[in-house]
Amino acid sequence: MRVIALDCEMVASGNRSLLAKVSVVDEYCDVLLNCYVKPTAIVTDYRTGLHGIDKHDLETGRPFDSVRGEVANLLSGKILVGHSLHFDLQALNLSHPENDTRDFAKNPRFMKNGQPRALKDLAREFLQKSIQVNLHDSLEDARTCMQLYKRVASQW
């Protein structure tokens, strides 16, 4: 079964997270999808300081339904890899079979005292790689999840 990694960035609409950017990579870390998404509600906080996404990025983004459909097609029949995937899937209004999901935030091997560890800490420990130095980038995070998964897949 093929493997893909997914990561998303969000903006806020009140107390709700809205999808702002989606990145999907294959097992070779090649980009299958990397795009901004037009908001489906009024954005109250762009969270630009966290991920660098601003109003202009989203105005020129793709329609939510189009992106959602493309992600659904990419996920079909694949093992999905990521970190805290429930947030990404919720923002996309999608689900994925639990037995085909590899979430580093849920696997006890990657937790500390029963709590999920940050992806940047896992990257540093297992890959000797620094990520999220200034800003979060969904493409960098998706690629990091795939690299991490490939390192430990046989033990999953």
Side-chain angles (χ1 to χ4, degrees):
M1 183 177 280
R2 291 194 56 207
V3 181
I4 62 171
L6 166 73
D7 192 70
C8 299
E9 300 298 346
M10 316 294 178
V11 293
S13 178
N15 62 357
R16 200 177 108 201
S17 288
L18 298 176
L19 186 64
K21 185 180 178 199
V22 180
S23 300
V24 180
V25 299
D26 66 13
E27 58 266 29
Y28 306 105
C29 293
D30 291 333
V31 176
L32 301 176
L33 179 65
N34 187 45
C35 67
Y36 294 108
V37 181
K38 289 183 181 182
T40 56
I42 294 172
V43 176
T44 57
D45 183 358
Y46 284 91
R47 300 175 179 162
T48 304
L50 179 64
H51 46 53
I53 297 170
D54 62 22
K55 183 178 182 177
H56 175 73
D57 294 323
L58 300 188
E59 287 174 343
T60 59
R62 291 182 44 197
F64 175 84
D65 289 336
S66 168
V67 172
R68 181 184 181 278
E70 188 169 349
V71 173
N73 287 336
L74 290 169
L75 289 176
S76 181
K78 311 265 187 350
I79 291 175
L80 174 61
V81 174
H83 187 275
S84 297
L85 285 165
H86 60 283
F87 292 118
D88 298 332
L89 292 171
Q90 182 178 34
L92 284 157
N93 195 24
L94 291 172
S95 62
H96 197 68
E98 194 69 33
N99 60 326
D100 290 338
T101 302
R102 309 292 185 264
D103 191 333
F104 290 103
K106 289 186 172 184
N107 186 312
R109 176 168 185 226
F110 302 101
M111 294 180 168
K112 186 172 187 176
N113 300 321
Q115 296 298 312
R117 294 174 58 203
L119 181 59
K120 68 191 262 178
D121 296 336
L122 296 175
R124 190 179 314 111
E125 179 179 334
F126 290 91
L127 302 172
Q128 292 72 52
K129 175 180 174 179
S130 294
I131 63 168
Q132 303 171 351
V133 176
N134 295 315
L135 297 171
H136 286 240
D137 176 22
S138 57
L139 182 57
E140 177 182 54
D141 290 355
R143 284 179 164 152
T144 299
C145 284
M146 183 56 74
Q147 292 165 348
L148 184 56
Y149 177 72
K150 287 171 72 172
R151 172 83 41 105
V152 301
S154 64
Q155 303 159 15
W156 201 281

